[in-house]
Amino acid sequence: MRGLWLEAQALRLRDDLEAPTPPAGEALVRVRLAGICNTDLELVRGYYPYSGVPGHEFVGTVEAAQGAPEWLGRRVVGEINASCGACTACRAGRRTHCEKRTVLGIVARDGAFATHLRLPIGNLHAVPEALDDESAVFTEPLAAALELQEQVRVSPADRVVVIGAGKLGNLVAQTLAVTGCRLRVLGRSPRPLALLAARGIPTAGIDALEPRQADLVVECTGHPDGLELARRAVRPRGTIVLKSTYHGKAEVDLARFVVDEITLVGSRCGPFAPALALLAQRQVDPRPLIEARYPLSDALAAFEHAARPGALKVLVDCH
Amino acid sequence: MRGLWLEAQALRLRDDLEAPTPPAGEALVRVRLAGICNTDLELVRGYYPYSGVPGHEFVGTVEAAQGAPEWLGRRVVGEINASCGACTACRAGRRTHCEKRTVLGIVARDGAFATHLRLPIGNLHAVPEALDDESAVFTEPLAAALELQEQVRVSPADRVVVIGAGKLGNLVAQTLAVTGCRLRVLGRSPRPLALLAARGIPTAGIDALEPRQADLVVECTGHPDGLELARRAVRPRGTIVLKSTYHGKAEVDLARFVVDEITLVGSRCGPFAPALALLAQRQVDPRPLIEARYPLSDALAAFEHAARPGALKVLVDCH
């Protein structure tokens, strides 16, 4: 089959990849549309060790599902962590933290920038008929944005600041707007801020940061200095959620976290069902984030595009 | 009056200090016994800007309390944050984070290493008659140890690791032992670990750290590398409580906090009432931590003693 192949920090387009042969319990999915995430760019930069097909944001069609014929032909999105179900983490209900997990396009499991992929049937979610592929392909990052609401209670009285208005910050802001909280998004670039302002979400430049006022700050910059900005914005006994990952170590003044009793919460993959619901209800619309769309044959150009500073979402048509 | 005076990182014993003259709502307290805390040592090192009498751990006797004669002659301990009652933080119930607070012996309020101090009457707690001064003087650090249980739920099923067995780690461990959690204290020096082992609390060297197993890790080392040890010990989606402060910045691999969805909670001052209750019930006994006791006239020697590596609690008799 055709697909992108990552090895030794080099991406190649290959036509000689073996098509996946799903074991019992897994489905074969023809990929319709896939999105490039910053994690994909970090994999290419070698920040994490991975060889194989990258890609974990997708919408596709089930072509085979042994023992579960009801899935055949259905349009699906899929949770990316394939868990063992038996380890301590799985038994405690923390399946995204399974000690033996493979992760689509990230850890020991070929991903979505190919004509086909395989995933456990239990990871699949049917896409509502009315929901277009261009929206559905955002289910995974939207679920990640929603994860913070699994971890932290957000109420309408809360003053919430999102720092960073890029791909992730936009989705985080849209999900927080649904809660009715007193939301403000701070960013450096006018263009992504304008996308949020167009949805009625208050935005401002980083200079407008009000020190020690926010009950909750969500760090979505993808830069090591984002945490320090968040710390300046959060009130004593407030909470900072770290959504973006970045390579390397950050310098942190831990005494401030103690004196101000700040809580810092790392946040990764989230729940698909509410993400699909918000998309289907159009309470969140990710489509203005789409900056470009390339065929799989031009996937290398798509990656170059996605790596440009300030680039928003780049999609790859895989069928 | 006689007291220790800190100015420009120099400690002096002075006999010419003005005795406090409490305004309405404050009490004059004769100090009986005061304890030296690591924060006092950091103040002397100039890590925080403070000039005045240091000291915030004390037990004393009320000598004057305008409009509240019921306090006269009572033996008391006192909460160290004097709050305004009117700012946003106070109105939200976060009085220890009052934006205009003074803090006994730390921020703009003379402290306990003197014959007398003053505090708002509302900050005072009567010491039960059966409780000796040597135990009562630990109320403030014990309250700080209990603060984490105000922030994080600890259950008997939880695997809890305390890193650091010094003055703070010992009290944290004793308060956690009361919860019935599966507790283990890791430390570098045999002597403070032995104090905990004598109370039946499991202890081990740092080398015995089991990676990614603990539901809750409490960092009490007072060293910048303590957070990295805690991160190694905590399980995915577990919690690290930062109890100790240290000057300067720590290097933190934030991506691990995101990928493992770790929660980090800064923790400072805590509730006095449960601390006094645990002391009165002898569920916590801090007295084995007492390493030396000096008269106020030898308070400079007491500070030198407290600054020795590995020193446990040094007390100063102030009456």
Side-chain angles (χ1 to χ4, degrees):
Chain A
M1 71 172 181
R2 169 172 285 187
L4 267 188
W5 186 260
L6 173 63
E7 196 173 327
Q9 300 180 44
L11 270 183
R12 283 184 296 145
L13 185 67
R14 289 175 58 176
D15 283 311
D16 61 344
L17 295 174
E18 269 189 50
T21 49
E26 296 207 358
L28 179 69
V29 177
R30 183 171 63 81
V31 183
R32 300 164 66 92
L33 195 57
I36 300 176
C37 165
N38 282 358
T39 300
D40 298 320
L41 302 174
E42 297 203 329
L43 289 174
V44 175
R45 287 177 195 130
Y47 291 170
Y48 302 96
Y50 175 67
S51 285
V53 177
H56 56 277
E57 303 178 359
F58 76 95
V59 54
T61 306
V62 176
E63 288 197 343
Q66 268 186 55
E70 68 276 19
W71 284 96
L72 275 180
R74 291 182 86 169
R75 204 157 53 103
V76 294
V77 291
E79 300 193 35
I80 70 176
N81 297 279
S83 53
C84 74
C87 70
T88 305
C90 282
R91 279 184 291 132
R94 302 186 294 268
R95 296 179 73 104
T96 57
H97 292 279
C98 168
E99 292 153 22
K100 296 174 181 170
R101 70 183 180 272
T102 60
V103 186
L104 188 71
I106 299 174
V107 180
R109 176 178 287 268
D110 285 330
F113 295 120
T115 59
H116 292 80
L117 60 80
R118 64 179 174 87
L119 265 181
I121 293 166
N123 283 38
L124 302 181
H125 293 255
V127 176
E129 204 151 318
L131 193 61
D132 52 296
D133 283 351
E134 292 70 20
S135 296
V137 74
F138 283 91
T139 307
E140 195 280 336
L142 186 61
L146 284 166
E147 172 71 354
L148 79 89
Q149 293 190 46
E150 302 281 312
Q151 301 171 292
V152 178
R153 199 167 58 100
V154 182
S155 91
D158 287 335
R159 296 180 69 155
V160 180
V161 170
V162 175
I163 302 184
K167 297 190 285 291
L168 183 60
N170 181 291
L171 297 178
V172 165
Q174 288 197 57
T175 56
L176 286 167
V178 175
T179 69
C181 68
R182 297 150 77 192
L183 178 62
R184 197 179 200 203
V185 181
L186 304 182
R188 293 195 198 278
S189 312
R191 190 173 63 114
L193 287 174
L195 294 181
L196 289 166
R199 287 190 70 82
I201 293 173
T203 62
I206 296 286
D207 294 346
L209 184 152
E210 294 179 278
R212 303 168 70 81
Q213 292 297 317
D215 301 292
L216 172 64
V217 182
V218 188
E219 202 292 294
C220 299
T221 65
H223 293 288
D225 66 351
L227 178 58
E228 176 57 19
L229 288 172
R231 193 196 60 70
R232 280 170 45 201
V234 77
R235 68 158 167 83
R237 279 211 193 136
T239 299
I240 296 170
V241 174
L242 274 183
K243 274 300 334 172
S244 61
T245 59
Y246 22 73
H247 185 63
K249 301 202 167 180
E251 293 223 314
V252 183
D253 182 355
L254 294 175
R256 292 310 319 172
F257 282 79
V258 173
V259 171
D260 286 337
E261 297 194 306
I262 294 166
T263 294
L264 180 72
V265 181
S267 181
R268 184 168 48 92
C269 295
F272 269 46
L276 276 169
L278 286 179
L279 290 170
Q281 298 159 16
R282 295 285 177 219
Q283 292 206 68
V284 168
D285 188 352
R287 291 171 298 182
L289 284 170
I290 300 173
E291 171 160 317
R293 193 167 165 163
Y294 291 80
L296 183 55
S297 56
D298 278 344
L300 292 173
F303 263 74
E304 279 173 25
H305 189 150
R308 292 179 202 158
L312 295 174
K313 186 60 75 179
V314 176
L315 301 179
V316 178
D317 273 299
C318 294
H319 57 281
Chain B
M1 70 173 182
R2 169 170 286 187
L4 266 189
W5 186 259
L6 173 63
E7 197 173 327
Q9 300 179 44
L11 269 182
R12 283 184 296 146
L13 186 68
R14 289 174 58 176
D15 283 312
D16 60 346
L17 295 175
E18 269 189 50
T21 49
E26 296 206 358
L28 178 70
V29 177
R30 183 171 62 84
V31 183
R32 300 164 66 92
L33 193 58
I36 301 176
C37 165
N38 281 359
T39 300
D40 298 320
L41 302 174
E42 297 202 330
L43 289 174
V44 176
R45 286 177 196 130
Y47 291 170
Y48 303 95
Y50 175 67
S51 284
V53 177
H56 56 276
E57 303 177 359
F58 76 94
V59 54
T61 305
V62 177
E63 288 198 341
Q66 267 187 55
E70 67 275 20
W71 284 97
L72 275 181
R74 290 184 88 169
R75 203 157 53 105
V76 295
V77 292
E79 300 193 36
I80 70 175
N81 297 278
S83 53
C84 74
C87 69
T88 305
C90 282
R91 278 182 294 133
R94 302 186 295 268
R95 296 179 73 103
T96 58
H97 292 278
C98 168
E99 293 153 22
K100 297 175 179 170
R101 71 185 180 270
T102 60
V103 187
L104 188 71
I106 299 175
V107 180
R109 177 178 285 270
D110 285 330
F113 295 120
T115 59
H116 291 81
L117 60 81
R118 65 180 173 86
L119 265 182
I121 293 166
N123 283 39
L124 302 181
H125 293 255
V127 176
E129 204 150 319
L131 193 60
D132 52 297
D133 283 349
E134 292 70 21
S135 295
V137 74
F138 284 90
T139 306
E140 195 279 336
L142 186 61
L146 284 167
E147 172 71 353
L148 79 91
Q149 292 191 47
E150 302 281 312
Q151 301 170 292
V152 178
R153 200 167 56 100
V154 183
S155 91
D158 288 335
R159 296 180 69 157
V160 179
V161 170
V162 174
I163 302 184
K167 297 190 285 291
L168 183 60
N170 180 291
L171 297 178
V172 165
Q174 288 197 58
T175 56
L176 286 167
V178 174
T179 70
C181 68
R182 297 150 77 193
L183 178 63
R184 196 177 200 206
V185 181
L186 305 182
R188 294 195 197 277
S189 313
R191 190 173 63 115
L193 287 174
L195 294 181
L196 289 165
R199 287 191 71 81
I201 293 173
T203 63
I206 295 286
D207 293 346
L209 184 151
E210 294 177 279
R212 301 167 72 80
Q213 294 296 317
D215 300 292
L216 172 64
V217 183
V218 187
E219 201 292 292
C220 300
T221 66
H223 293 288
D225 67 350
L227 178 58
E228 176 58 19
L229 288 171
R231 194 196 59 71
R232 280 170 46 201
V234 77
R235 67 157 167 84
R237 279 211 193 137
T239 298
I240 297 170
V241 173
L242 274 183
K243 275 299 335 172
S244 60
T245 58
Y246 22 74
H247 186 63
K249 301 202 166 181
E251 293 222 315
V252 183
D253 182 355
L254 294 175
R256 294 309 319 170
F257 282 79
V258 174
V259 171
D260 286 337
E261 296 195 306
I262 295 166
T263 294
L264 181 71
V265 180
S267 181
R268 184 169 48 95
C269 296
F272 269 47
L276 276 169
L278 286 179
L279 289 170
Q281 297 158 15
R282 296 284 177 220
Q283 293 207 66
V284 168
D285 188 351
R287 292 170 297 183
L289 284 170
I290 300 172
E291 172 161 315
R293 192 167 167 163
Y294 292 78
L296 183 56
S297 56
D298 277 344
L300 291 172
F303 264 73
E304 279 174 27
H305 188 150
R308 292 179 202 158
L312 295 174
K313 186 61 75 181
V314 176
L315 300 179
V316 177
D317 273 300
C318 295
H319 56 279

